[in-house]
Amino acid sequence: MKRAIQFIIISLAAVCLCGCGNAIPDLPEEDMRKVEEYAAGLLLKYDANYSESMVTAEEYAEEQAKLERKAAMQAQAAELRRQEEAAKQEENSSADEGSGEDSGEVLPPEPVYTDIDEFFGIGGIDIESAGYTVCDKYPEATAEGDWQGIVTASPGNKLVVFKFSAVNSSGEDKLLDMASMDAHFAFKLGDGSTKAALTTLLLNDFSSCRETLAAGASDELVLLIEVEESKADVSSVTMVMRNGSDRAELSLD
């Protein structure tokens, strides 16, 4: 484009200065600017790719919103991959502990906390186990426009939904912010297997929830695992809790 403009400028100057031989004297700066603008206008006029339409503010805002949504989805996907990797490490860690017991290695006893909120250092909110349910999908019913989706068991498997009650026992509003913690959960089943809690986008997923409970208010939180349909009886189960490098076990019998 720049070379084309220069060519047009030289051509125009040559025409304007016809009869002066091959010498092209310097034009005043203002005249040179006008010639450049005129040359650029000619190029744009005959450029097949040129369009006089401009991007409107609405179009710009819409494109910006798309980019922001894409960035948010990429960040969310990265967080889900991180949580899945942590869950796999938990399963491997539990498997290693089991092999140590089989080999006769004496492992130090793990502390057992009766209060989940005590282990995670959550003040003013009491969190207790509230049973479990076995189902094919969770939640079984969703409201219209609910973006959080549904967790569905794969063929031949069942979901086990462990429920927890979170009660604000203080006299003021309290923020329950599990998302800011390095919290991970797994469940030791009666058959000796260990299942890491599934990573979900559920708003009431205990491992990633962030909500403010009003004074005296309560909410139901959940953790999900997937098991073979024939092993869906989890009446004897121990929950393994991790908070960073801290680890504890809690019987849910």
Side-chain angles (χ1 to χ4, degrees):
M1 173 71 78
K2 183 176 180 181
R3 291 183 177 179
I5 292 175
Q6 290 176 343
F7 175 76
I8 293 174
I9 293 172
I10 294 173
S11 300
L12 290 172
V15 172
C16 294
L17 299 174
C18 181
C20 297
N22 293 327
I24 302 177
D26 292 335
L27 292 175
E29 182 178 348
E30 180 65 19
D31 292 340
M32 180 62 72
R33 183 183 62 80
K34 292 180 180 179
V35 172
E36 290 176 349
E37 291 178 354
Y38 178 69
L42 287 177
L43 287 176
L44 290 175
K45 180 178 180 180
Y46 295 105
D47 186 352
N49 296 323
Y50 173 67
S51 174
E52 294 183 355
S53 62
M54 302 293 290
V55 177
T56 65
E58 291 78 6
E59 291 172 335
Y60 177 82
E62 181 179 354
E63 187 65 24
Q64 186 70 16
K66 288 181 181 179
L67 293 175
E68 291 175 356
R69 286 195 297 269
K70 182 178 179 180
M73 292 177 65
Q74 290 175 339
Q76 189 175 59
E79 176 61 18
L80 289 177
R81 287 194 296 269
R82 186 192 70 80
Q83 293 183 13
E84 289 173 355
E85 182 62 28
K88 291 179 182 178
Q89 292 178 359
E90 176 62 43
E91 289 185 355
N92 294 336
S93 175
S94 298
D96 293 341
E97 291 174 5
S99 62
E101 292 173 358
D102 294 339
S103 63
E105 179 183 354
V106 178
L107 298 175
E110 292 286 352
V112 177
Y113 288 80
T114 56
D115 294 322
I116 300 173
D117 45 280
E118 178 185 344
F119 174 71
F120 287 104
I122 302 172
I125 299 178
D126 298 325
I127 302 176
E128 297 181 353
S129 173
Y132 70 93
T133 185
V134 179
C135 55
D136 294 316
K137 65 179 183 179
Y138 181 87
E140 296 185 80
T142 56
E144 184 178 355
D146 189 352
W147 64 269
Q148 68 178 328
I150 299 176
V151 182
T152 305
S154 55
N157 290 345
K158 289 285 188 179
L159 293 178
V160 181
V161 182
F162 294 98
K163 300 180 180 181
F164 302 87
S165 173
V167 180
N168 183 353
S169 57
S170 70
E172 58 184 5
D173 294 355
K174 286 289 184 179
L175 174 65
L176 177 58
D177 188 7
M178 297 298 294
S180 65
M181 301 183 188
D182 189 15
H184 303 283
F185 299 88
F187 297 87
K188 291 184 177 181
L189 307 182
D191 62 0
S193 64
T194 299
K195 296 290 184 179
L198 298 177
T199 300
T200 76
L201 295 177
L202 297 170
L203 296 177
N204 62 335
D205 188 320
F206 184 20
S207 64
S208 59
C209 69
R210 189 177 191 277
E211 63 173 317
T212 299
L213 288 175
S218 64
D219 197 6
E220 182 181 81
L221 306 175
V222 297
L223 291 171
L224 282 65
I225 63 172
E226 185 176 32
V227 299
E228 296 179 14
E229 190 169 358
S230 60
K231 300 179 180 179
D233 181 10
V234 290
S235 55
S236 177
V237 62
T238 298
M239 182 172 70
V240 180
M241 302 178 291
R242 287 188 182 274
N243 184 16
S245 60
D246 296 331
R247 182 181 186 279
E249 294 185 1
L250 177 64
S251 176
L252 300 182
D253 295 347

